[in-house]
């Protein structure tokens, strides 16, 4: 935390914390390093700032390379709090959505012809203080999973993300688009808005295959479970069912290569003719088939429907915001973003790994505090909006 900073340095530090892009962060950190008046009290802080600067520059370079995009550089390195993949069939309005969400931070080419985007396009935006890196991936097509139109790279790009925006063009048949994308993703081992199966598998030294709570299993019982596990090469394991599990879910539970990602559907081109009736058709289809998707109609051309979208994305991410407080009681404006269930230790890891070694205790305010300023250790679980002060 900033300690006894001279005014110019404090100003740059605050601007760094509020910056909404890597470029801005770098500018303010560089200025901070340039203007900070050095004394014993700021040594650690300065060292941390320099390390951050180095990391940011490395990330920036990687992003530059990814934008240039040779085959191997397709995976956009994560430089922000979360990476959001914008996906959909060809011409569904992905680049247009990216440009609206990222504003001047993106200049993805929009074209009336198919496959305008052939490499990932990157932009960024913020949601409740979290920095979101937006990555438009080239279109998902029939056969992506077999490698059509760089399909394998597209699917790898989706797996690399933390959340998916699926663009469905409301001026075209929406159900065909949804089915095509979900089919490719499903074969490509990507599950959207699907919980992991409620099964845990623990490898043990001996004892064959032991099964607990098999009454939750909706298949044919223990013999079938054992047979499936044997064919998958399992020897000595404890299998626990924590809730009702179908056979398909059981197969999924045994496959560690499946990715589970939160997702939102954008119904795009809401200003075009026929979009209203296609919206209803898609909404009905989603509810009749109990598909777990929120459907948001937007028009990139008219910039309509985007008002609450950052909120929706933040909600989907399952992240929490933690604010830090310095020794004079100032609370940082920009939160650090952590996964739900994170602890004080996880927060400090983000702030500075070194701080962990010299950790004494922390004080905490907010939902996780029994009372304001409660003294806690590294293992205290945090909740959204908590304020922490670290003593090291
Ligand atoms: N009327 C209208 N047209 C749109 C809207 N969004 C996109 N378009 C048009 O749809 C076409 C495709 O838009 P893009 O944003 O390039 O779509 P894309 O999914 O990125 O396309 P590819 O990268 O080629 O797969 C362009 O002609 C856009 O002008 C919208 O909200 N309203
Ligand atoms: Mg595009």
């Amino acid at each position: 935390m900033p300690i006894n900073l001279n005014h110019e340095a404090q100003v740059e530090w605050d601007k760094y914390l509020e910056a909404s892009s890597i470029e801005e962060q770098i500018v303010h950190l560089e200025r901070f390093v340039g203007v900070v008046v050095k004394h014993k009290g700021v040594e650690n802080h300065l060292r941390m700032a320099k390390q951050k600067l180095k990391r940011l520059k490395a990330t920036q370079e990687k992003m530059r390379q990814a934008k240039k995009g040779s085959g191997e550089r397709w995976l956009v390195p994560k430089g922000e709090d979360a990476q959001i993949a914008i996906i959909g069939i060809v011409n569904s309005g992905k680049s247009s959505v990216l440009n609206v969400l990222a504003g001047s931070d993106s200049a993805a080419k929009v074209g009336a012809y198919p496959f305008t985007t052939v490499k990932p396009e990157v932009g960024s935006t913020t949601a409740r203080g979290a920095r979101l890196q937006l990555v438009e991936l080239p279109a998902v097509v029939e056969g992506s999973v077999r490698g059509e139109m760089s399909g394998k790279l597209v699917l790898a790009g989706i797996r690399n993300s933390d959340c998916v925006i699926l663009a469905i063009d409301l001026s075209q048949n929406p159900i065909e688009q949804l089915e095509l994308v979900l089919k490719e993703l499903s074969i490509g081992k990507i599950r959207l808005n699907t919980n992991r199966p409620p099964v845990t598998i623990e490898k043990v030294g001996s004892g064959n295959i032991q099964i607990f709570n098999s009454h939750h299993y909706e298949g044919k019982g223990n013999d079938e479970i054992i047979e499936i596990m044997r064919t998958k090469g399992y020897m000595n394991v404890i299998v626990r069912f924590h809730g009702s599990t179908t056979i398909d879910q059981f197969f999924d539970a045994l496959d560690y290569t499946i990715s589970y990602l939160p997702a939102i559907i954008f119904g795009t081109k809401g200003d075009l003719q026929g979009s209203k009736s296609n919206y209803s058709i898609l909404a009905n289809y989603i509810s009749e088939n109990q598909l777990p998707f929120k459907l948001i109609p937007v028009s990139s051309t008219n910039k309509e429907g985007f008002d609450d979208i950052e909120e929706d994305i933040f909600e989907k991410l399952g992240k929490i915001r933690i604010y830090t407080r310095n020794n004079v009681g100032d609370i940082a404006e920009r939160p650090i973003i952590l996964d739900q269930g994170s602890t004080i230790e996880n927060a400090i890891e983000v702030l500075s790994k070194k701080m962990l070694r010299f950790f004494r205790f922390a004080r905490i305010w907010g939902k996780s505090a029994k009372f304001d300023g409660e003294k806690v250790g590294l293992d205290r679980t945090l909740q959204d909006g908590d304020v922490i002060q670290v003593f090291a």
Side-chain angles (χ1 to χ4, degrees), residues 282-323:
L282 183 56
N284 284 338
Y285 181 82
I286 286 172
S287 79
E288 272 165 20
N289 292 286
Q290 297 181 338
L291 301 177
F293 292 105
K294 177 164 185 172
L295 168 61
I296 303 173
V298 298
S299 161
S300 302
T301 303
N302 297 343
K303 294 203 166 70
E304 274 169 6
F306 288 90
D307 293 348
D308 301 323
I309 269 164
E310 272 97 355
E311 295 280 307
D312 285 324
I313 296 172
F314 189 86
E315 220 106 275
K316 269 276 148 207
L317 280 170
K319 302 265 179 189
I320 55 171
R321 293 158 303 162
I322 303 301
Y323 296 85

Side-chain angles (χ1 to χ4, degrees), residues 44-332:
N44 282 340
H45 188 66
L46 182 60
R47 210 172 305 127
M48 179 186 87
K50 283 182 177 165
Q51 279 166 1
K52 276 215 163 106
L53 190 55
K54 211 164 138 191
R55 273 204 298 274
L56 284 170
K57 282 186 172 168
T59 306
Q60 189 187 37
E61 181 52 30
K62 277 193 211 154
M63 282 168 77
R64 227 179 255 145
Q65 297 292 349
K67 266 192 178 172
K68 263 197 250 159
S70 70
E72 308 76 57
R73 299 251 160 76
W74 254 62
L75 286 187
V76 180
K78 292 189 189 180
E80 319 263 336
D81 294 321
Q83 188 177 98
I84 316 297
I86 302 174
I87 71 165
I89 69 156
V90 73
N91 243 339
S92 56
K94 303 177 294 297
S95 295
S96 304
V97 163
L98 170 66
N99 289 342
V100 174
L101 287 177
S104 60
D105 196 40
S106 148
K109 203 162 151 209
V110 170
Y113 45 92
F115 301 108
T116 309
T117 307
V118 290
K119 295 268 162 63
E121 288 284 349
V122 184
S124 65
T125 184
T126 55
R128 292 208 219 153
R131 265 197 267 275
L132 307 182
Q133 183 179 43
L134 303 161
V135 180
E136 178 201 357
L137 291 162
V140 172
V141 298
E142 181 86 52
S144 282
V145 81
R146 295 190 308 269
E148 289 292 325
M149 297 309 291
S150 311
K152 294 207 162 133
L153 295 167
V154 172
L155 292 170
I158 300 172
R159 276 187 219 105
N160 192 47
S161 73
D162 302 298
C163 181
V164 168
I165 291 175
L166 169 55
I168 304 259
D169 180 351
L170 291 181
S171 71
Q172 308 290 330
N173 183 327
I175 294 169
E176 273 176 23
Q177 296 173 63
L178 180 62
E179 285 185 339
L180 187 154
V181 174
L182 291 185
K183 187 187 90 192
E184 294 295 327
L185 264 52
S186 162
I187 308 171
K189 298 192 179 186
I190 298 170
R191 310 273 185 269
L192 300 183
N193 288 343
T194 308
N195 291 328
R196 279 174 196 282
V199 183
T200 49
I201 292 148
E202 187 191 334
K203 291 208 166 123
V204 286
S206 60
N208 278 325
I209 295 169
Q210 303 169 58
I211 304 163
F212 289 89
N213 293 329
S214 61
H215 61 276
H216 286 310
Y217 180 62
E218 291 175 20
K220 285 200 189 115
N222 283 13
D223 289 349
E224 187 177 74
I225 295 169
I226 291 171
E227 196 189 315
I228 292 172
M229 298 213 66
R230 286 259 156 77
T231 55
K232 293 272 174 191
Y234 286 89
M235 307 284 283
N236 300 313
V237 286
I238 299 174
V239 186
R240 283 194 178 84
F241 292 90
H242 305 276
S244 62
T245 307
T246 63
I247 299 185
D248 285 347
Q249 282 178 310
F250 184 56
F251 272 103
D252 279 3
L254 297 178
D255 187 345
Y256 294 103
T257 62
I258 295 176
S259 301
Y260 298 86
L261 292 169
I264 302 175
I265 297 179
F266 280 15
T268 59
K269 311 191 193 180
D271 57 289
L272 286 183
Q273 230 189 354
S275 68
K276 294 221 162 49
S277 75
N278 276 333
Y279 172 83
S280 306
I281 290 171
L282 183 56
N284 284 338
Y285 181 82
I286 286 172
S287 79
E288 272 165 20
N289 292 286
Q290 297 181 338
L291 301 177
F293 292 105
K294 177 164 185 172
L295 168 61
I296 303 173
V298 298
S299 161
S300 302
T301 303
N302 297 343
K303 294 203 166 70
E304 274 169 6
F306 288 90
D307 293 348
D308 301 323
I309 269 164
E310 272 97 355
E311 295 280 307
D312 285 324
I313 296 172
F314 189 86
E315 220 106 275
K316 269 276 148 207
L317 280 170
K319 302 265 179 189
I320 55 171
R321 293 158 303 162
I322 303 301
Y323 296 85
T324 52
R325 187 182 197 269
N326 68 11
N327 55 354
V328 289
D330 294 337
I331 295 169

Side-chain angles (χ1 to χ4, degrees), residues 27-41:
V27 167
H28 294 298
L29 269 186
E30 272 179 339
R31 287 195 198 144
F32 170 83
V33 172
V35 299
V36 69
V37 176
K38 294 177 186 110
H39 57 81
K40 203 131 188 70

